[in-house]
Amino acid sequence: MFIVVGLMYANFPWAATLAFWLFIAAGLTDWIDGWLARRSNQVSAFGRFMDAMIDKVMVLGVLIALVNGGYFQGHNIAAMWLLLAVLCREFSISGLRMAAASKGVVIEANSGGKIKTFTQFSAIIWLLGAHMLAQDFGDRFGLEGMVVIKAVHWIGVVLYILSGLIAVASGLGYFCKHSRTIL
């Protein structure tokens, strides 16, 4: 995440392309690691906890850099509000899990949380992709290319909004389902 974010702020040729592909590589290796662990039956409580934590650090770090770096082209305040809602959700769910764990209860990720993470990863890829196309390939495109870059950007923005809505909805779902656990 540190390298991806550093590349997002870097001002040298191909930095945006490197950030894009490194983020994709990180996501793919994370998925492969989980698949291999499940396939070889080497899943542990520590592994499940750390995988979820690393996913959060990676996604939230890059989302903060996207908002701070102006990737939302004039919609930074709305993007920040949504990011703050996502951060509140993540800290709240982590707190809920810690409170439940203190009572010996494990709250596993549900499908809403998994869909949220997938949608966040997808939004980041589209937003990084639009920036990559504009920064490293923009001079090679004509008017049609600029339309494509705008379309890629707006797909990323829509996925970002969708991921924020899913985050809030799944967070509320966690609390509705598990709030009695901590009372």
Side-chain angles (χ1 to χ4, degrees):
M1 184 261 309
F2 294 100
I3 296 171
V4 171
V5 170
L7 289 167
M8 289 169 69
Y9 285 94
N11 193 18
F12 63 86
W14 305 106
T17 298
L18 289 170
F20 174 79
W21 288 109
L22 186 57
F23 183 80
I24 289 175
L28 286 174
T29 57
D30 176 54
W31 179 81
I32 290 168
D33 175 63
W35 179 77
L36 288 172
R38 287 185 299 277
R39 185 170 178 229
S40 63
N41 204 22
Q42 293 189 7
V43 177
S44 67
F46 178 76
R48 280 192 304 255
F49 173 77
M50 287 308 295
D51 182 64
M53 190 62 58
I54 296 302
D55 287 350
K56 286 178 191 350
V57 168
M58 179 69 160
V59 167
L60 292 174
V62 174
L63 287 178
I64 290 167
L66 287 169
V67 172
N68 189 53
Y71 283 67
F72 290 91
Q73 301 175 354
H75 302 285
N76 291 350
I77 293 173
M80 181 60 74
W81 286 344
L82 196 53
L83 177 58
L84 291 172
V86 170
L87 285 167
C88 288
R89 183 257 190 220
E90 297 303 338
F91 283 113
S92 298
I93 297 304
S94 294
L96 176 67
R97 285 188 170 132
M98 285 188 277
S102 72
K103 295 185 176 202
V105 177
V106 175
I107 299 176
E108 302 249 351
N110 66 14
S111 61
K114 292 177 183 179
I115 293 168
K116 172 212 47 117
T117 301
F118 177 78
T119 309
Q120 287 172 331
F121 266 91
S122 299
I124 291 168
I125 288 168
W126 284 91
L127 290 166
L128 288 176
H131 188 70
M132 172 192 67
L133 291 171
Q135 289 294 116
D136 295 335
F137 300 97
D139 59 344
R140 295 183 177 110
F141 292 127
L143 182 60
E144 295 84 16
M146 292 300 131
V147 170
V148 169
I149 292 170
K150 280 286 191 193
V152 170
H153 173 260
W154 281 105
I155 291 169
V157 169
V158 168
L159 286 169
Y160 176 76
I161 293 166
L162 183 61
S163 73
L165 296 173
I166 292 169
V168 171
S170 71
L172 291 172
Y174 273 105
F175 274 95
C176 288
K177 184 175 180 181
H178 300 289
S179 61
R180 282 178 260 142
T181 303
I182 61 173
L183 296 177

